[in-house]
């Protein structure tokens, strides 16, 4: 299922390593695709932000960019 989801990624099918969350521009919302991808690939992180659809998940194709949930949440809280 993850391979299928990644292949249909509109940006880059190799972006599977979550490194950040970001607040979308005012009035914008997380895409259904982004939410589904985060739910599949980073379910514990998704659970923390699932109710705020103004927050999107950022993915990279570089495994070295991947961050832990704690690192991502700490970075987000510092910037918001």
């Amino acid at each position: 299922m993850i391979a299928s989801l990644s292949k249909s990624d509109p940006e880059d099918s190799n972006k599977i390593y979550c490194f950040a969350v970001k607040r979308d521009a005012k009035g914008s919302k997380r895409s259904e695709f982004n939410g589904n991808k985060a739910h599949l690939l980073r379910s514990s992180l998704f659970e923390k932000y699932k109710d705020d659809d103004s927050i999107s998940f950022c993915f990279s194709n570089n495994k070295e960019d991947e961050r832990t949930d704690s690192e991502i949440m700490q970075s987000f809280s510092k910037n918001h």
Side-chain angles (χ1 to χ4, degrees):
M1 179 174 257
I2 293 172
S4 175
L5 179 67
S6 291
K7 286 179 184 173
S8 63
D9 190 325
E11 294 178 17
D12 182 343
S13 63
N14 295 315
K15 290 184 176 182
I16 59 171
Y17 306 106
C18 189
F19 66 92
V21 293
K22 67 174 185 160
R23 174 106 25 221
D24 295 327
K26 189 170 185 160
S28 296
K29 294 183 178 181
R30 172 176 60 235
S31 71
E32 184 177 354
F33 181 87
N34 184 261
N36 288 337
K37 184 174 183 175
H39 187 246
L40 284 171
L41 297 175
R42 292 296 288 270
S43 59
S44 60
L45 185 63
F46 177 77
E47 286 299 314
K48 292 173 178 31
Y49 296 105
K50 70 180 180 181
D51 294 328
D52 187 344
D53 63 2
S54 71
I55 295 175
S56 291
F57 301 85
C58 304
F59 292 90
S60 171
N61 60 0
N62 185 349
K63 180 159 180 49
E64 291 154 10
D65 292 340
E66 188 171 37
R67 299 292 175 254
T68 66
D69 290 1
S70 295
E71 290 171 323
I72 291 170
M73 291 184 307
Q74 184 175 31
S75 177
F76 182 72
S77 67
K78 281 183 184 177
N79 296 320
H80 293 89

